[in-house]
Amino acid sequence: MAKKYQNEQGHWITELEPGEEPLSERIAGARLPQKIYDYIQLKSNKAEWIRRALVAAALAEMESNTQSD
């Protein structure tokens, strides 16, 4: 998990673990069906849960597309 802290000059520093990929500066978002939105809102770690779900779905689709080529 990335570590964030401020240095002596007040700049934010992000340290990544080995093999960890930096996060995009841009946010991907979508409107969801209400019951899915409500379910996600109950989670204490919403952003991390959404990130894991999107990454898993994208990787599975990328893998599927690679195998069908």
Side-chain angles (χ1 to χ4, degrees):
M1 184 81 187
K3 297 178 191 168
K4 282 187 151 186
Y5 62 92
Q6 280 184 297
N7 65 12
E8 297 81 27
Q9 293 83 29
H11 298 111
W12 283 98
I13 306 296
T14 302
E15 290 183 356
L16 300 175
E17 296 290 329
E20 190 174 11
E21 193 170 338
L23 298 178
S24 169
E25 292 294 322
R26 303 201 55 197
I27 296 174
R31 295 183 69 160
L32 301 170
Q34 189 64 51
K35 72 178 185 178
I36 302 299
Y37 176 85
D38 293 342
Y39 174 77
I40 293 169
Q41 292 308 304
L42 295 174
K43 300 208 158 284
S44 60
N45 57 344
K46 290 185 264 307
E48 181 59 29
W49 187 91
I50 292 168
R51 186 178 303 116
R52 283 194 325 262
L54 286 172
V55 168
L59 289 173
E61 188 170 300
M62 290 165 63
E63 179 67 24
S64 173
N65 288 343
T66 301
Q67 290 177 357
S68 65
D69 289 344

